[in-house]
Amino acid sequence: MDWLLLRELQADARLSFSELSRRVHLSPPAVAERVRRLEESGVIAGYRAHVDPRAAGREVVALVTMACYGPGCVLRHPEALESDDIFEVHRVTGGACCVLRVAVASMTDFEELIDRLAHYGRPTSAMVLSTPVPWRATVPPI
């Protein structure tokens, strides 16, 4: 039942409890209680609008891989990652420390961001040309 609720909420998080209850065939109080438990347990991490960076004026979207280790590593300096241009940071395995998804208004802004990140390691980048799969809902493991 929780997965049914999660599927519906991932498709439209703005559903009322009454509409959600109609879709999953539970009473509104039962739906409210289950959703509350999913929120408290951290399964539902939050509700937010999904904004397309390009449509919002951030034309340059890129993945920046940082090769940095030790005390100078960008992950040891949270202030370096507080930029509004950095949307996600993933700590990864392999030859890099982390991968950042960034979006800026122009190539000049991108160059400035790369220069700031270079203080913490060696950034390499891949420009995002398009996003054929922008997001997928989380489904139950098989």
Side-chain angles (χ1 to χ4, degrees), residues 90-135:
H90 302 276
R91 188 172 182 197
V92 298
T93 61
C97 164
C98 59
V99 176
L100 293 66
R101 185 173 65 89
V102 305
V104 295
S106 68
M107 286 304 288
T108 301
D109 293 334
F110 182 69
E111 184 176 7
E112 290 171 4
L113 176 62
I114 292 297
D115 288 345
R116 287 194 311 270
L117 291 171
H119 293 289
Y120 303 97
R122 184 175 48 83
T124 56
S125 61
M127 305 311 287
V128 175
L129 301 176
S130 67
T131 306
V133 181
W135 178 83

Side-chain angles (χ1 to χ4, degrees), residues 1-84:
M1 183 54 62
D2 287 347
W3 280 110
L4 291 174
L5 288 168
L6 291 170
R7 182 179 61 213
E8 293 295 337
L9 286 171
Q10 287 179 97
D12 183 359
R14 296 177 60 170
L15 290 173
S16 66
F17 285 145
S18 61
E19 176 60 20
L20 193 53
S21 68
R22 188 185 67 70
R23 292 183 185 194
V24 299
H25 309 293
L26 283 179
S27 70
V31 165
E33 177 61 22
R34 283 180 173 269
V35 169
R36 185 190 60 76
R37 279 190 279 132
L38 289 165
E39 292 168 344
E40 287 178 353
S41 68
V43 173
I44 296 176
Y47 302 89
R48 60 190 58 90
H50 186 83
V51 178
D52 181 338
R54 289 186 169 124
R58 294 176 175 268
E59 296 293 328
V60 178
V61 179
L63 301 174
V64 177
T65 302
M66 292 294 298
C68 53
Y69 301 95
C73 176
V74 71
L75 293 178
R76 295 182 185 254
H77 298 275
E79 69 281 0
L81 302 173
E82 290 177 1
S83 168
D84 290 338

